[in-house]
Amino acid sequence: MLTVEELIGLRLGKLASALDDWEAMTRRLADLADGRGGGDSAALLQRKAELADWKGVNATVGKAFVVRTASEFDDAVTSATSVTAILRDALKAFARHKAEMAELADSAAKRNIRLTPAGGAEARSPRGAAEDGGPTQADLIAVMRDATRVLREADETDRVVERALRALARGKHDFSDVRVTGLGHAKDLQGKADADRWAKEIAKGGVDRWSDEKLKRFNDTLTRYQDTPAFAAALATGLGAEGTLRFWRDLADPAGTLGAVGPGRADLLGRVQENLGLTLAAATRVDSPGMDAWKRNMIEAGDDRLPAAPGIGSGASPYGFDVMSNLMRKGKYDTEFLQNYGSRLLEFEKELSPFASRGSTHLLNRLPDETSADPVSGFLESLGHNPEASLRFLHTGPEAESNWDYLVSHEDGSRNAWFSALSDLGGTGRDQYETSLGHALESATSRTPYDADTPPKPHSEASASFVNRLVDYYGSNPEVLDDSKLRGSLGNITAEYMRDVQDGINGPREIATRGVNADLGSVQGPALKNFLGAVGKDPDAYGAILNAQQSITTELINEALRNPHGISEDLARADARNLAAPGAEIAGIMAEARTKAVYDDRMAEDAEFNEGIHTADKWAGRVIDLGANKFPVVGDAISWIAEDARESVVEHYARDSSKEAGREREAFLERQLEKSGAAAYRAAEQAALREGYTVDEARALADAVQKQSQLHYGFGRQRESGTE
C-alpha cells in the first residue's frame, strides 16, 4: 500500500514518457496494419494471400499461416490502443491522487495536524489540545478519513492498472483481441471476471465451512467493487435469485439452530452482510434482461421456505423474504423493485400474520447493534435509503393508503396493533421496527437518504403534504408516541421543517419556507403543539428541535433587520419581535415536554437531554444551509448564525435538574423562561450588531425581542401543559 509520502512524492515523468512512446507505437502499428501510411501493410498481405493460387500443402497450411499472421497486426493495434488508453487514464488518476493528498497535507498543517505515513492524523506539537488552539478530535478524525480515502483510491488505481497491463501481456504467442477503452472499462472487465469466479465458488456449496480468511477475501472483493455495477450485476445473475438467498442463509445461520459464533466471525459476517447488500442494491439498478429476471424471481421466491443445504443443519427454514429483507438494510435499491417487493412482502405477511414463527430468522441479521431480523424492518431500511421509493410507497403511490394503514397507523389489523396485542414480542423487535419506520419517514420527507451527509433539498409538494399528514396524525394521537423509538426520526423531520413549523405557529404572519410550505397551520385544533410536545420528550428529538429553532429564529430576525422590502426601521424592528414569537413558543413546549419526561414519566434523565443538544447540533447549520426561497442566506452569515445558535442552545438549554426534588419542577420551568428569553436576546443583539446597529440600538431591540419571547414561551408552556 502506498504511503502518504510516496504518493505526494510520486514522480510521473516516466509514466508520461511511456504514454508518449505508446501513442507513437500505436500510430505506427496502425499504419502497418491497414496501410494508411502508404506502404506495405498487413491488410495488403492478407488480401494477396487470399487471392493467390495456393497449391498442395501450402493451400491449407501456408495460406492459413499467412492470413493468421496478417490478422495478428490488427490484434497488435488493439493491444497497443488498450495499453495507451490505460496509461493515459492512469496518468490522470495518479496526478489527481497526488494533488489531492498534497492539498490535504497542506490544509492539515495549517491546522497543526501532521499526516502519518499510513494516513493517520496527529497533532504536530504537544500543545495540540483544542483549548490551546490545537486541532479537535473531530478535526483529526476528518483528516484521517480523507487521507485514508485518497490512499485507498490510489491503491485501487494501481491495482487496476497492474492487472489490466498484465492481462494484455499474458499471451506468449499472440496479441489480445479485447480492446480496453480505459481504467473504468478495465475495472468492469475485472469485476465481471471476479464475480464469475466467486459465483462458481459459491455454487460449489459448503459456504458454512469457509474459513475467516476466505470470507475476508470475498468481503474485500465486495468492498473493492462497490462502485462497479458490472460486478454487481454479474454476481447477482451468476448466483441467481435462489442462489443469492441460499448463500446468505447458509453463511449467516448455517445450523438453523440459533448457534452462536465468536465475536471475530460475527463482526466479519456483519461486514459481509453490509457489503453484499450494497452490491445487490447496485445490481438492481442495472438495466438488463438478466437483472429484470433476477428481480422477478427474487419476489416470487419470497414466500418459499429455504431449508439449509444438505448436511449443514436441521433447524427451521426461513422464508425468502426473511433472508432478502435482511440484505436490504444497506444500499439504494431500485425504486420499482422496492414497490413490487414491498407490496408482495406486506401481502404475504398479512396472510401469515406478522409474528408467525419463521424459524431462526434473527441470525439472518448480523449487523452490529441490531438484534431483530424482522423482514419488514429490513425493507423499511431500504426505503430509508431511497427517498423516491419511500415517498411513493407511503404517500403518493397507488397502494400508499393501504401501506400507511398497515405500517403507520395503530388501527385494528395494523402492525402496531399486533405489537400492542402481543406484548411478549415487543422490546427490541418493536424498537427496531419503529426505528426503521422512522428512517423511511425521514427519507420520504427530506428527499434524501436518512443517513446521508449531503446538502438538503427544497421540499416538494408531495414531501410537504406528507409532513402535514404526519403532524396531523401523531398530533391527534400523541399517546401512540409514548416511549416510542419513532420520536427520534420525527424530531429530525421537525427540525428539517422548522420554518414550516414556525409558520404554522405564527398564524397569519407568513414565514417563508423552503420549497413548498407544509401548511402546518391547517392541521386540526392543537395537533401541531401536541405533536411537538409528544416528540420533544425524546432527548435526541429535543436537541434537534431546539438547535433548529434557535437557528431559524436567529435567521428570521436577521432577515427582518436586513430590511429587504425597504420598510421603515420601526417596522423592521416590529417584524423582528414578531418573528421571535413562534420560536419562543416552541421553546416553551420543549421545556414542558422535557420536564414531563424527567419528572413525571421518569423516562429520561437531564443528562440525556443535554447529550441530545450536543449530538443534534448539526441541525443548527443544516436548516440554514437549506436557504429560504425569498431571503437566501449566503456567505459567512450561514456560519455565524449556525455557530451562534449552537452556542446559545448549549448555554441556555443544557441543565442538570434530575437530582432536584419534584417541588423544584416549576422553579426549573421558570428558570427556563429566563434562559429562553436570554437566547432570544442574544439572537436579536447579534443580528442587529451585524447589520450595523449601534450597541444601544441593538440592546434596545434585544430587550423588546426578549419580552416578546418570554410572553410566547408562556403560551407554549400553557398549551403543552393543558392549562391554556
Side-chain angles (χ1 to χ4, degrees):
M1 182 174 183
L2 286 168
T3 66
V4 170
E5 292 86 348
E6 288 171 340
L7 183 54
I8 293 176
L10 199 60
R11 296 181 180 181
L12 299 175
K14 289 186 177 180
L15 180 56
S17 178
L19 175 59
D20 291 340
D21 292 342
W22 275 98
E23 286 176 337
M25 177 63 72
T26 303
R27 289 192 298 270
R28 294 192 190 105
L29 286 172
D31 290 342
L32 284 172
D34 59 24
R36 283 180 295 181
D40 291 334
S41 66
L44 178 60
L45 177 62
Q46 184 171 346
R47 285 197 301 272
K48 289 182 177 181
E50 290 172 342
L51 294 173
D53 185 18
W54 297 86
K55 303 293 185 179
V57 176
N58 281 335
T60 53
V61 179
K63 180 180 179 180
F65 174 77
V66 173
V67 170
R68 177 171 175 77
T69 300
S71 68
E72 277 296 303
F73 278 88
D74 289 330
D75 290 347
V77 174
T78 298
S79 293
T81 302
S82 298
V83 171
T84 300
I86 292 167
L87 294 180
R88 184 182 298 115
D89 282 1
L91 182 60
K92 292 177 182 177
F94 281 122
R96 184 178 68 253
H97 300 322
K98 176 180 179 179
E100 191 172 359
M101 184 61 79
E103 182 180 355
L104 179 60
D106 182 61
S107 174
K110 292 176 180 177
R111 288 180 286 166
N112 196 34
I113 299 174
R114 176 193 296 112
L115 294 178
T116 66
E122 60 187 19
R124 292 175 64 88
S125 65
R127 292 180 68 256
E131 57 268 23
D132 295 328
T136 65
Q137 186 66 21
D139 292 333
L140 294 173
I141 292 173
V143 170
M144 179 180 67
R145 183 180 62 243
D146 289 341
T148 53
R149 173 186 58 79
V150 176
L151 285 179
R152 186 170 59 250
E153 290 174 355
D155 277 331
E156 180 64 5
T157 296
D158 187 50
R159 186 196 65 81
V160 173
V161 170
E162 179 187 11
R163 183 171 171 181
L165 294 177
R166 287 186 182 278
L168 289 169
R170 185 172 296 127
K172 294 182 178 180
H173 305 294
D174 55 9
F175 294 97
S176 171
D177 60 355
V178 177
R179 181 169 182 174
V180 182
T181 60
L183 281 186
H185 186 209
K187 190 168 184 178
D188 283 348
L189 294 174
Q190 294 170 18
K192 289 179 180 178
D194 287 347
D196 290 343
R197 178 171 59 83
W198 278 111
K200 291 175 182 177
E201 187 66 25
I202 292 168
K204 295 176 182 177
V207 297
D208 61 308
R209 298 188 297 276
W210 279 11
S211 66
D212 286 357
E213 180 57 34
K214 184 172 183 177
L215 189 57
K216 184 178 182 301
R217 290 199 306 272
F218 176 67
N219 186 59
D220 288 344
T221 303
L222 295 176
T223 303
R224 180 180 305 129
Y225 290 111
Q226 278 188 8
D227 60 347
T228 311
F231 168 84
L235 182 64
T237 55
L239 293 174
E242 184 178 349
T244 302
L245 295 174
R246 182 168 298 285
F247 170 60
W248 182 243
R249 184 257 181 274
D250 291 346
L251 186 65
D253 188 21
T257 56
L258 309 186
V261 297
R265 182 74 170 189
D267 176 71
L268 184 53
L269 286 171
R271 284 182 280 143
V272 171
Q273 179 182 347
E274 177 173 353
N275 287 318
L276 181 57
L278 290 169
T279 298
L280 296 176
T284 63
R285 303 196 303 274
V286 173
D287 185 11
S288 72
M291 280 310 304
D292 288 344
W294 185 93
K295 287 183 279 190
R296 287 195 306 271
N297 294 338
M298 181 59 72
I299 294 171
E300 291 174 1
D303 54 6
D304 292 337
R305 288 282 193 180
L306 197 71
I312 288 184
S314 58
S317 304
Y319 289 100
F321 283 127
D322 296 323
V323 181
M324 186 60 202
S325 289
N326 281 293
L327 291 173
M328 295 171 71
R329 294 177 180 273
K330 301 292 182 179
K332 181 181 179 181
Y333 282 77
D334 173 67
T335 298
E336 196 64 35
F337 172 68
L338 289 179
Q339 305 307 305
N340 296 332
Y341 181 94
S343 294
R344 181 59 192 131
L345 169 63
L346 297 193
E347 179 185 342
F348 170 67
E349 183 174 81
K350 291 173 187 177
E351 295 170 355
L352 187 68
S353 91
F355 307 108
S357 174
R358 290 192 167 139
S360 57
T361 57
H362 82 265
L363 284 185
L364 295 171
N365 184 10
R366 292 287 187 171
L367 294 177
D369 303 322
E370 292 188 16
T371 56
S372 169
D374 174 14
V376 174
S377 171
F379 168 70
L380 289 171
E381 288 292 343
S382 71
L383 291 185
H385 292 105
N386 186 330
E388 178 187 355
S390 184
L391 188 59
R392 183 173 161 190
F393 196 80
L394 295 170
H395 189 55
T396 62
E399 299 180 19
E401 196 64 30
S402 173
N403 296 337
W404 168 283
D405 290 341
Y406 185 65
L407 296 172
V408 182
S409 82
H410 288 67
E411 301 300 320
D412 290 344
S414 69
R415 261 192 146 237
N416 290 303
W418 274 97
F419 272 121
S420 298
L422 303 175
S423 57
D424 59 316
L425 290 168
T428 57
R430 180 174 190 166
D431 288 350
Q432 184 63 55
Y433 173 68
E434 291 177 336
T435 299
S436 299
L437 175 60
H439 293 164
L441 298 181
E442 284 189 66
S443 75
T445 54
S446 68
R447 301 180 61 210
T448 59
Y450 82 91
D451 55 353
D453 187 17
T454 56
K457 297 179 179 179
H459 306 139
S460 67
E461 181 176 355
S463 64
S465 69
F466 191 41
V467 169
N468 184 288
R469 183 175 190 181
L470 289 172
V471 171
D472 189 39
Y473 177 75
Y474 288 112
S476 300
N477 305 278
E479 69 282 355
V480 304
L481 293 179
D482 288 346
D483 200 24
S484 170
K485 294 296 182 181
L486 197 59
R487 293 176 305 180
S489 288
L490 293 176
N492 290 337
I493 293 170
T494 305
E496 170 91 17
Y497 280 78
M498 183 51 65
R499 273 184 172 262
D500 307 67
V501 173
Q502 296 202 26
D503 179 65
I505 291 175
N506 211 35
R509 296 187 299 273
E510 181 184 359
I511 292 176
T513 58
R514 299 168 175 83
V516 177
N517 194 323
D519 192 22
L520 298 179
S522 69
V523 296
Q524 299 298 313
L528 176 55
K529 280 79 175 183
N530 291 344
F531 173 84
L532 292 171
V535 173
K537 291 181 182 180
D538 178 82
D540 291 331
Y542 171 89
I545 292 171
L546 277 182
N547 274 287
Q549 177 274 129
Q550 185 67 21
S551 279
I552 294 302
T553 298
T554 305
E555 183 185 16
L556 290 172
I557 293 172
N558 184 60
E559 288 172 1
L561 297 181
R562 279 171 31 210
N563 197 5
H565 298 302
I567 60 177
S568 68
E569 285 197 6
D570 287 342
L571 285 177
R573 293 174 182 177
D575 269 357
R577 292 195 300 272
N578 290 331
L579 290 170
E585 206 161 325
I586 293 170
I589 295 172
M590 289 298 101
E592 191 72 33
R594 174 172 175 165
T595 54
K596 283 185 176 180
V598 173
Y599 286 106
D600 300 343
D601 300 336
R602 304 290 182 180
M603 65 174 61
E605 299 288 340
D606 262 329
E608 295 176 73
F609 282 93
N610 294 340
E611 181 65 20
I613 287 172
H614 288 284
T615 56
D617 68 352
K618 72 171 186 177
W619 288 106
R622 183 177 173 86
V623 293
I624 302 299
D625 288 342
L626 276 165
N629 288 343
K630 296 183 179 179
F631 315 120
V633 178
V634 296
D636 66 349
I638 292 176
S639 298
W640 82 256
I641 290 175
E643 190 57 36
D644 192 74
R646 290 188 186 98
E647 293 177 2
S648 186
V649 170
V650 171
E651 178 182 348
H652 297 109
Y653 295 105
R655 169 75 179 175
D656 183 10
S657 65
S658 57
K659 296 181 181 179
E660 297 176 358
R663 56 188 169 82
E664 291 292 324
R665 184 181 192 279
E666 289 302 314
F668 167 71
L669 288 168
E670 288 304 312
R671 284 194 293 273
Q672 283 297 99
L673 167 64
E674 297 174 7
K675 294 289 188 179
S676 177
Y681 180 100
R682 174 172 173 166
E685 181 186 38
Q686 291 299 311
L689 290 173
R690 287 180 178 274
E691 289 301 319
Y693 285 64
T694 67
V695 172
D696 289 340
E697 289 172 335
R699 289 176 178 172
L701 173 64
D703 281 332
V705 168
Q706 182 178 34
K707 291 175 182 176
Q708 185 85 335
S709 173
Q710 290 175 327
L711 174 66
H712 285 267
Y713 170 92
F715 292 161
R717 272 205 56 205
Q718 291 168 5
R719 286 192 174 97
E720 172 58 15
S721 62
T723 60
E724 184 180 30

